[in-house]
Amino acid sequence: MTDEVKTNAEALVPRFKLDRVLNQDQAGRRTAMYGTVDDKPALLVLERAPFPESPAYLGSIPSSLARLRNLGANDIYNWYMARSGGGNNTDTTTDKEAKNGEFFPDLKINLIYPCTETHVKKYSRQRVRFVTETPDIYRDQIRPYMQAKREQGRLNWVFNILDGRTEVEDVIFRTQPWGVEGQAEGDKDGFLLLPDLNWDRSTLDALHLLALVERRDLWSLRDLRRKHVPWLRRMREHLVDATVATYPSVERDQLKLYVHYQPTYYHLHIHIVHVALEAGATQATGKAVGLEGIIETLEAMAGGDEAGMEGLAMSYTLGEASELWEQVYEPLRRSGGGGGRASR
C-alpha cells in the first residue's frame, strides 16, 4: 500500500456520519453502525483493541485515568468504571460531561488489595490441565483442602454481604433473613441476589448476577443432595423472578443459571447471566455446571434423599499454578494415581 493510498483510506473514518446503531455484541466491546461517508452509505464497525503488552504503557494507565468511579468495595475487593485519557486527577471531567452530568467509561477495573499469592497465581498466564475428581479424591484430598481454605478467613467478604455489613444497597432480592420473628430456629434456607463484581451494571446483554445462599453448610455443588431439590427449584424461580422484575427488558428465557466447579471460593453461590453474554472460560465445559442439570441429576439418583453429588466423578480444568494442581493432582499423576493432561 502506497503512502498516498494509506492517507486517503485513513481520511475516510473521520468523515463518517452516524445514521443508526445496528448492533452491539461481545458484551458491548464491538459496535456496528450504519451511516454515510460523503453522502454514500457506509458501515462502520468499532471494536476495542487488545491492551498493548508494553509494561511502560500498562504501568501508566492507573495514574493517567481521566475519570474513575467506584462501583463497590468489600474486604480486599474493589471495582470501578473508568474513562481513559490524559491527566492524573480522578475527579476531573470534560466540560461536556460536567455540563450534562454524563460519564462515558471505557474501562472496567477490579482492584484486589492487599492480594495474596493465590490471587497472583489465579490471574497469571499458565498451562491448563483437565482432571477428573473421583469420589475418593474428593473425600480424601479435596474436602480437607476446602476445609483449610474456609478456615483461613477467605470468606469474610461473603459473610460481610450475608450479615448486611457491606453492599447492602446492591442487593436486588433477599429472602426472609435469619432470626426474624416468626421464623423457626435453624431455618436457614434463604438467599440473596446482587450484581457480580465483573459486570458493569449497565450492559444488559452482559448481565451477570450472583446469588449467595444464607446457609453455611453448603460449600459447593458437592454438598447438594436429593433432599435439596425442592429448595433448588424454589430458589431458581425466585432468582429468575427477581431478575426480570429488576430488569424488565430481560425475559425469563434469556437467562441461564450455573455454578462453578471448582469454585473460586467455598460457599455455595449461583451465577445468573444473560444468554447473550459471550461465553468465556468461566462458562466453558470444565468450569460451569448448569443448575437445571444439577437438579435433574439429583432427581435421577438412587439411594434416597441423602444421595448426592459427592458420589459422582467430576471433571474440570485447572491451571498448573493452582494449589489444587500442585498439591493434589500433580502428585497423583507422578504416583500413577490420577491427574490430568495439558490442554491444547
Side-chain angles (χ1 to χ4, degrees), residues 133 138 142 146 220-222 259-263 266 286-289 314-317:
E133 179 185 296
Y138 171 71
I142 305 301
M146 291 180 175
S220 74
L221 65 80
R222 284 294 202 182
V259 301
H260 284 146
Y261 198 78
Q262 284 277 330
Y266 296 113
K287 183 64 175 179
V289 185
M314 301 285 298
S315 296
Y316 48 86
T317 55

Side-chain angles (χ1 to χ4, degrees), residues 136-203:
D136 288 345
I137 292 175
Y138 171 71
R139 181 191 66 238
D140 298 337
Q141 302 200 53
I142 305 301
R143 184 71 179 187
Y145 173 85
M146 291 180 175
Q147 176 75 42
K149 293 306 172 189
R150 285 175 61 92
E151 292 174 351
Q152 290 175 2
R154 296 188 180 181
L155 293 176
N156 289 342
W157 71 272
V158 175
F159 299 148
N160 285 341
I161 297 174
L162 293 176
D163 294 338
R165 290 192 292 267
T166 59
E167 302 187 54
V168 176
E169 67 282 358
D170 293 330
V171 174
I172 295 170
F173 174 83
R174 183 167 194 162
T175 56
Q176 192 176 41
W178 299 1
V180 299
E181 184 177 355
Q183 184 179 31
E185 183 66 26
D187 182 10
K188 301 175 180 178
D189 286 346
F191 45 87
L192 58 81
L193 179 66
L194 73 168
D196 185 87
L197 62 84
N198 291 310
W199 183 41
D200 66 10
R201 308 193 186 197
S202 61
T203 309

Side-chain angles (χ1 to χ4, degrees), residues 11-250:
L12 292 174
V13 174
R15 300 205 301 271
F16 177 84
K17 295 183 179 180
L18 175 67
D19 179 69
R20 65 182 184 273
V21 176
L22 299 177
N23 189 24
Q24 281 193 327
D25 58 8
Q26 292 193 16
R29 293 192 295 272
R30 178 187 294 148
T31 299
M33 300 181 291
Y34 173 79
T36 60
V37 174
D38 299 336
D39 296 324
K40 295 180 181 179
L43 184 67
L44 183 67
V45 179
L46 302 179
E47 184 172 355
R48 299 188 189 279
F51 286 105
E53 294 186 2
S54 165
Y57 168 80
L58 294 174
S60 70
I61 291 178
S63 61
S64 64
L65 296 173
R67 192 175 180 191
L68 185 69
R69 175 181 293 171
N70 179 247
L71 290 178
N74 186 346
D75 197 47
I76 63 174
Y77 302 96
N78 304 267
W79 46 102
Y80 314 82
M81 295 304 296
R83 181 168 55 77
S84 56
N88 55 12
N89 185 346
T90 59
D91 291 326
T92 61
T93 61
T94 64
D95 291 340
K96 182 177 180 180
E97 283 183 330
K99 181 179 179 180
N100 299 331
E102 297 173 325
F103 177 38
F104 301 110
D106 59 354
L107 292 174
K108 171 71 168 57
I109 298 176
N110 294 345
L111 173 66
I112 304 175
Y113 170 76
C115 70
T116 66
E117 183 61 26
T118 299
H119 292 118
V120 174
K121 289 181 177 180
K122 175 183 175 181
Y123 288 98
S124 296
R125 181 180 300 171
Q126 56 190 292
R127 296 177 71 194
V128 178
R129 301 280 181 160
F130 191 75
V131 301
T132 298
E133 179 185 296
T134 65
D136 288 345
I137 292 175
Y138 171 71
R139 181 191 66 238
D140 298 337
Q141 302 200 53
I142 305 301
R143 184 71 179 187
Y145 173 85
M146 291 180 175
Q147 176 75 42
K149 293 306 172 189
R150 285 175 61 92
E151 292 174 351
Q152 290 175 2
R154 296 188 180 181
L155 293 176
N156 289 342
W157 71 272
V158 175
F159 299 148
N160 285 341
I161 297 174
L162 293 176
D163 294 338
R165 290 192 292 267
T166 59
E167 302 187 54
V168 176
E169 67 282 358
D170 293 330
V171 174
I172 295 170
F173 174 83
R174 183 167 194 162
T175 56
Q176 192 176 41
W178 299 1
V180 299
E181 184 177 355
Q183 184 179 31
E185 183 66 26
D187 182 10
K188 301 175 180 178
D189 286 346
F191 45 87
L192 58 81
L193 179 66
L194 73 168
D196 185 87
L197 62 84
N198 291 310
W199 183 41
D200 66 10
R201 308 193 186 197
S202 61
T203 309
L204 288 183
D205 281 356
L207 181 138
H208 190 164
L209 306 178
L210 186 67
L212 299 173
V213 303
E214 296 269 15
R215 56 189 300 167
R216 306 189 186 191
D217 60 328
L218 301 178
W219 301 359
S220 74
L221 65 80
R222 284 294 202 182
D223 291 310
L224 295 175
R225 304 180 185 278
R226 280 191 64 183
K227 65 183 180 182
H228 294 129
V229 166
W231 172 65
L232 290 171
R233 288 201 178 278
R234 186 169 65 253
M235 178 162 55
R236 185 191 185 283
E237 288 304 304
H238 280 306
L239 294 176
V240 173
D241 288 345
T243 301
V244 299
T246 305
Y247 307 101
S249 63
V250 177

